[in-house]
Amino acid sequence: MLANDDHAELALIREAAREAGRIAMRYFGKTPDVWMKTGQSPVTEADIAVDRFLKAELLAARPDYGWLSEETVADTSRLSARRTFVVDPIDGTRGFINGLDMWCVSIAIVEDGRPIAGVLDAPVKEQIFEATRGGPALRDGDAIKVRVAGDVPIVAGPKTMTKTLLPGIGQTVKVPYIPSLAYRIAMVADGEIDATFVKPNAHDWDLAAADLILRRAGGEVLTPQGLAPLYAGTSPRHGTLVAGSGALLTAMIEEARDPDWSQGW
């Protein structure tokens, strides 16, 4: 029964994400209207159009679910819902504005703080990542998994972090800027890179779907205390996080605990 339920949830958000990606592509590369939110974070008319579509589509299908989205005013009524949609209409808006391909629609369904189904649709790259809590992580229908890091791991994240030596690991190679945090975590799940640091103030909508995909691929998103973050609670904000697997993830956690390092963000 649980597997069937999760499959239905995944099918719902997969189809919604695909259509949302098509809506976003109508604006991509066509200089959409852009304005700045609090904290100097950009938003475009495409973000709003996708958000409106997803909210209408998903809540029509599951009217008793809560709603948490980057582009919707927070509604605390979600705290009493059994399940909550956690949505980023366009994760990586700066990349979207600049014509880059590493942005995606991110949708998760969260229950008791944990994602049970998640989808990332990256329409420019024509990729879709997905997972349920009991199934494999998939990219375009094929199973994916994290890779074992080599002697010089490939790590994404802020320059202040990747310039340092990791305890027990040594030097790392930094990847170029990836505007979407969700897509960056999906790259770890897919074995394209080994790990990523996540600076403070990432939000539920950046993380929830990608977290589940990485977990089902054999990795984890963790706090410096080694705990898995919870989602759809009273605050959507998170502190420093690390994402990866194996000994590399352990070394990253140790580094993230260092107060001198954390002050460098």
Side-chain angles (χ1 to χ4, degrees), residues 15-17 19-20 23 48-58:
E15 291 309 309
E19 180 58 28
I23 292 171
I48 302 305
V50 172
D51 188 68
R52 287 174 177 164
F53 163 75
L54 288 175
K55 187 174 184 181
E57 184 80 4
L58 294 174

Side-chain angles (χ1 to χ4, degrees), residues 46-83:
D47 295 83
I48 302 305
V50 172
D51 188 68
R52 287 174 177 164
F53 163 75
L54 288 175
K55 187 174 184 181
E57 184 80 4
L58 294 174
L59 291 182
R62 304 285 191 271
D64 58 331
Y65 283 21
W67 179 261
L68 179 62
S69 167
E70 180 173 15
E71 308 305 345
T72 304
V73 176
D75 180 355
T76 56
S77 66
R78 63 183 167 76
L79 298 176
S80 61
R82 182 173 70 95
R83 291 180 175 174

